[in-house]
Amino acid sequence: MDDGEHDGTFGMTTERKLGEVVGVNGNMVTVAFDRHVIQNEMAYVVVGETRLKAEVIRVRGEVADLQVFESSAGARVGDKVEFTGELLSVMLGPGLLTQVYDGLQNPLPELARQAGFFLRRGLYVTPLDEARPWEFTPAVKPGDSVCAGAAVGTVPEGIFRHRIMVPFGWPGHWRVTWVAAAGAYPITAAVARVSDGREERAVTMVQRWPVRVPVTAYREKLLPVETLVTQQRIVDTFFPVAKGGTFCTPGPFGAGKTVLQHALSRYSEADVVIVAACGERAGEVVEILREYPELEDPRTGRKLIDRTIIICNTSSMPVAAREASIYTSVTLAEYYRQMGLNVLLLADSTSRWAQALREMSGRLEEIPGEEAFPAYLESLIAGFYERGGLVRLHSGETGSITIGGAVSPAGGNFEEPVTQATLKVVGCFLGLSRDRANARRYPAVHPLDSWSKYPSLSDADDLAFARRILQRGHEVDQMMKVVGEEGTPLADFALYLKSEFLDAVYLQQNTFDAIDGATSAARQKASFRRVVDVLRTPFLFADKDEARSFFQRLRQLFTDANYLPMDGEKYQALDRQTAEFLTAAKKEA
Amino acid sequence: MKKVYHRIIQISGNVITVEAEDVPYNSLAEVATGGRVSLAQVIRLDRRRVSLQVFAGSRGISTDSEVRFLGRPMQVSASPDVLGRIFTGSGSPRDRGPRLRDDLIDIGGPSVNPARRIIPRRMIRTGIPMIDVFNSLVESQKLPIFSIPGEPYNALLARIAMQAEVDVIVIGGMGLKHDDYLFFRNTLDAHGALARSVMFIHTAADPVVECLLVPDMALAVAESFAIGGKRVLVLLTDMTNFADALKEIAVTMEQIPSNRGYPGDLYTQLAARYEKAVDFEGAGSITILAVTTMPGDDVTHPVPDNTGYITEGQYYLSGGRIDPFGSLSRLKQQVNGRTRNDHRAVMDNMIRLYADYRETREKLAMGFRMSGWDRKLLQYGERFEARMMDLSVNIPLEEALDLGWQTLAECFQPAETGIKSDLVAEYWPGGTEAATAKDGNGTTPA
């Protein structure tokens, strides 16, 4: 199980294995079986006319416990259960981009077409269009040697050349015996045949992969160092995320977790973005669903939806499918990583996933850990984030998965199990603070509590200096609460104003503004340098009122600049005005 | 399937266990005890053992009580006849009207497909300035009213019910004091709103299991009307009682509690109800307002905490008023740009000035000297509270905006308000001359 030697079927048998329901408790169904069952095997519980998807989660003697991915209402003792012999898997192939799936990879628009306003129990639809032809270009010729994950050809999928790869679970080396000529084929057609000397297999454009097993068809994992530019200043400059890195955004409700996640999904310079809406409001997904087909991706000139896949298992959808949706998302991310792309996976929210685990654990009557979460919560969270990373593929190229998980801690208290387990395994912590949100300082990432282990875009000395100003400014602020403004020395007060200035013009960013909402790497470097110049300048003021009005004016100039395109005339004019203002101030000093 | 069983092998809390065959999960049964019949629902199947939750409670049930399986899930009538009617949590008439047996629909139906949802776009006018002007209620929104016990939340709900521009009102009362139930009924009746309302009322004296059914009954009826093209407002009070009922049942069922005794699926249970709020493209909509009392005024208590993660903002009722700082309508931006061009400016600046007033009040309390600006703020704050925040104020949005301008003009120079000059020119009472004449010394104080 540890070196990716899977064929994706795990001992699929041709004979149909059957079982019989002997107990029902919520969405957990206990089934008596006569032959063998496989842990995490898929099964269908036949309730009247409908077949409900379920997964084996525990086996005890002659009975297996299955979690049903839908409401189990109406199930009776004695109902038939069909085991499939296959693990819970997703279908990988061209056509995944732009799709909106539920946690089990059913395309939601297609479900809506068939069932209307409501989700219909037991209705499952093939994730990919099997009739649509794709223009195949071969990349190998007979006699070539290939291994799992190697491309035998490509098809154009929106912005990319989508690689048709040897299934990830085929072990060892294979020799190409035949490859299809360039032309249009549906995804199920064979486009190549390969042989390992013992057997010959056909490669189609589609393969299945069990979601709970990481794809490991690469040469090695590398250390993530290159910054993934998110165009959010506080992130890229202060708490950067690397391509292939992991980060988390815990925060109480109303602190702007979802707005931040949306900003990251819109503005990040990733090739593919996978949004996993896991157990949160449906309304939030609707904005993505309705707006991304309209919004342009400035990097490619295409629509944002063209690089996006949405996995949508919102809070009122079945809870077991919510648990699966996290794995479905990361498996899709691994698939695109195998093509040498940089993938960003945003999971909102991993707490809802953890709660789904807790619900099932409770039904299984397992001994609970802290706050009734299962004892294995930590290892599952670690396992999930460890599926991110930067890898070198067998072809020598690199590909990465960056994982960002929102965390919704109960009561906004970070001392709870999900936040703590997450902090142990991520490389960057963007802690959202209710105080900053209440003060309308967005994004409400706390500048003193957050941290990142990845290298920043900006100069390390400048950054350390800016951090010191923030820290000292905070201390002065605390002191002022006790002794009042009158009791604060002028020098301390100026320091405090500097930290407020940095906060206002650099850390805060208006995500709803087209210009201020997205600051490119180059602009961040230039703009941060100018802010630090101000921070380093020792201004002299006659009194506190003068200091305050000076920084108010300066703040206005910098904020106005943030809202202007950098190459415009207005920006240049403002730039000159700012320079003059600063020169005048320095002279006086 | 044999329908009637006589041997109850276990009675524990409100749950009875009977040996039976071929019983569908989640279906209903009638339990007859000495002439009294109560509904019960199958909550667990274990081979021949069928566990049922008895809605009326297990008191008085004997081991040879008659259990008759109905083979169908819980249903509620969604016929137009429900309007003007009052029911219990299990759907029996609470008024003297007849039992309804037409258009029965299952409760707790499936979730709306997210792909069929649309971005909300219509405002619901309530005549309450703190809602209409400052935190607009939007069709298909789900909003709780966070409140401590003792606040006039039921009076507020009743007012919204009477004044909101909707077609149908569904009221779900959970753990309601009998007095409050009578208050709702009498108020709606007196204002002629009862004819477009339906009420599902569980009072504090009723069996706790019925409390759990109230939101599902109310929302199933609401969904049916909404699909029929009606704009439905669902008012739930009090969801904390619902959560406490969940806790009580979960503990009886020996489930492992997660946080302060509440079951681990509290979030999912609440979300399943709140997510019923929806705007159906080409049909009606469901908007949900739900009272959530906060034990000890603690917003981090599991019930308000989980609610806050689910809902689209909250109204925070404090000191008999809707507090402008704790309250938030996450959807207001969808609608307040299209009401009147000064709506957002009035909203932002009046609140900012009111925040300044609060600071001045603190300074006053600490004995600091009041500056001229402070005195202006004090005057403004008092008028703001009387004209906007008082819950008895009932004026349309436009009038409220005009009143806002009037209040600003009485207390400040135009430039002190921080409102853009083109809006000042358009709306400042007394016209632009009055506005510009004063502009000379009108610097915005820090």
Side-chain angles (χ1 to χ4, degrees), chain A residues 26-96:
Chain A
N27 69 334
M28 189 178 83
V29 171
T30 308
V31 177
F33 59 94
D34 46 8
R35 295 195 205 142
H36 64 281
V37 296
I38 307 162
Q39 174 74 332
N40 294 115
E41 174 178 5
M42 296 290 304
Y44 289 93
V45 180
V46 185
V47 177
E49 299 290 299
T50 50
R51 294 165 77 240
L52 306 178
K53 225 178 212 184
E55 180 185 19
V56 177
I57 52 172
R58 184 171 66 186
V59 182
R60 284 194 299 191
E62 302 292 286
V63 296
D65 292 319
L66 276 63
Q67 65 170 342
V68 183
F69 290 113
E70 311 227 25
S71 157
S72 57
R76 298 161 197 247
V77 170
D79 280 346
K80 286 281 162 286
V81 176
E82 303 165 10
F83 290 95
T84 64
E86 202 179 328
L87 301 193
L88 176 63
S89 302
V90 286
M91 201 172 173
L92 303 169
L96 290 169

Side-chain angles (χ1 to χ4, degrees), chain A residues 22-27 32 63 71-77 100 108-109 111-113 116-120 251-255 257 279-287 289-291 312 314-317 319 322 352 355 358-359 362-363 365-366 368 371-372 407-412 434 440 486 548 552, chain B residues 1 22-27 43-48 71 109-120 142 146 223 227 254 256-259 263-269 271-272 275-276 279-283 299-300 304-314 324-325 327-328 330-331 334 368 446:
Chain A
V22 295
V24 185
N25 176 18
N27 69 334
V63 296
S71 157
S72 57
R76 298 161 197 247
V77 170
V100 183
L108 287 171
L111 291 184
R113 213 182 54 75
F117 283 127
F118 297 97
L119 296 167
R120 189 191 295 157
F253 66 83
K257 273 188 306 298
E280 290 284 315
R281 303 177 191 94
E284 293 168 357
V285 191
V286 176
E287 282 175 34
L289 289 182
R290 303 278 165 172
E291 286 172 3
C312 171
T314 54
S315 56
S316 60
M317 289 164 75
V319 68
R322 183 201 300 171
R352 307 302 164 215
Q355 288 178 343
R358 176 166 73 184
E359 285 183 32
R363 294 228 169 77
E365 295 175 347
E366 293 172 338
E371 288 187 21
V407 184
S408 319
R434 179 167 273 156
R440 303 287 183 266
E486 304 85 56
R548 191 199 308 273
Q552 272 175 352
Chain B
M1 166 177 168
D22 206 22
V23 176
Y25 186 68
N26 267 5
S27 65
I43 53 167
R44 193 161 192 167
L45 296 175
D46 183 9
R47 305 218 185 228
R48 281 179 51 80
S111 169
V112 170
N113 188 327
R116 286 298 293 267
R117 286 182 181 261
I118 51 176
I119 295 180
K142 41 192 179 289
F146 284 171
E223 209 160 67
I227 289 170
E254 297 175 359
I256 296 153
S258 68
N259 204 340
D265 64 353
L266 179 63
Y267 174 85
T268 307
Q269 294 285 0
E275 284 282 316
K276 290 278 178 194
D279 196 346
F280 290 113
E281 196 161 19
V299 80
T300 66
D305 185 52
N306 279 292
T307 304
Y309 279 116
I310 295 163
T311 53
E312 289 148 336
Q314 68 276 335
F325 304 117
S327 302
L328 169 72
R330 289 174 192 253
L331 300 185
Q334 311 279 6
F368 284 100

Side-chain angles (χ1 to χ4, degrees), chain B residues 166-433:
Chain B
V166 291
D167 303 321
V168 174
I169 298 156
V170 183
I171 295 176
M174 289 152 280
L176 220 53
K177 274 194 310 197
H178 204 266
D179 301 357
D180 286 334
Y181 151 58
L182 293 178
F183 164 78
F184 267 113
R185 196 191 64 189
N186 297 344
T187 315
L188 289 180
D189 202 15
H191 290 78
L194 201 56
R196 59 186 174 114
S197 308
V198 47
M199 295 168 78
F200 292 91
I201 301 293
H202 164 265
T203 68
D206 297 333
V208 66
V209 185
E210 290 191 359
C211 179
L212 288 182
L213 293 170
V214 167
D216 288 336
M217 301 287 268
L219 289 162
V221 170
E223 209 160 67
S224 165
F225 277 111
I227 289 170
K230 297 275 193 273
R231 303 166 72 191
V232 188
L233 177 64
V234 180
L235 304 172
L236 301 172
T237 175
D238 160 359
M239 286 300 274
T240 305
N241 290 338
F242 170 76
D244 286 340
L246 278 175
K247 174 166 79 174
E248 190 175 326
I249 303 282
V251 170
T252 319
M253 292 292 295
E254 297 175 359
Q255 282 182 25
I256 296 153
S258 68
N259 204 340
R260 296 207 212 176
Y262 290 94
D265 64 353
L266 179 63
Y267 174 85
T268 307
Q269 294 285 0
L270 290 172
R273 275 81 192 185
Y274 281 115
E275 284 282 316
K276 290 278 178 194
V278 65
D279 196 346
F280 290 113
E281 196 161 19
S285 66
I286 300 175
T287 310
I288 301 178
L289 271 179
V291 169
T292 300
T293 49
M294 299 183 290
D297 202 10
D298 175 13
V299 80
T300 66
H301 181 277
V303 180
D305 185 52
N306 279 292
T307 304
Y309 279 116
I310 295 163
T311 53
E312 289 148 336
Q314 68 276 335
Y315 293 135
Y316 184 66
L317 198 59
S318 157
R321 300 172 178 140
I322 297 177
D323 182 81
F325 304 117
S327 302
L328 169 72
S329 163
R330 289 174 192 253
L331 300 185
K332 66 182 171 188
Q333 279 84 359
Q334 311 279 6
V335 296
N336 63 14
R338 282 176 283 141
T339 45
R340 209 169 85 174
N341 62 343
D342 59 332
H343 187 161
R344 285 183 178 171
V346 169
M347 169 182 87
D348 287 339
N349 289 290
M350 287 197 86
I351 289 298
R352 195 176 45 76
L353 288 165
Y354 184 68
D356 292 346
Y357 158 75
R358 284 267 183 102
E359 271 180 33
T360 298
R361 279 295 303 265
E362 274 176 32
K363 280 205 273 179
L364 186 68
M366 291 193 303
F368 284 100
R369 201 169 57 84
M370 293 287 101
S371 67
W373 172 245
D374 286 330
R375 277 192 295 277
K376 282 184 176 187
L377 284 174
L378 287 174
Q379 185 193 24
Y380 166 77
E382 279 153 22
R383 289 183 192 190
F384 182 84
E385 286 178 348
R387 291 172 179 176
M388 296 283 174
M389 288 176 70
D390 194 306
L391 276 185
S392 66
V393 178
N394 177 17
I395 45 176
L397 170 69
E398 286 73 17
E399 257 178 63
L401 291 174
D402 290 341
L403 187 62
W405 282 104
Q406 190 196 325
T407 309
L408 290 171
E410 285 167 11
C411 305
F412 302 109
Q413 310 282 340
E416 289 171 337
T417 62
I419 299 179
K420 282 194 295 184
S421 30
D422 51 340
L423 286 176
V424 168
E426 193 176 344
Y427 290 104
W428 196 264
T432 42
E433 296 87 53

Side-chain angles (χ1 to χ4, degrees), chain A residues 502-526:
Chain A
L502 169 63
D503 191 341
V505 306
Y506 201 82
L507 301 186
Q508 294 170 43
Q509 195 169 354
N510 181 356
T511 182
F512 299 108
D513 184 82
I515 305 216
D516 192 38
T519 312
S520 69
R523 183 165 182 163
Q524 284 191 44
K525 282 181 193 162

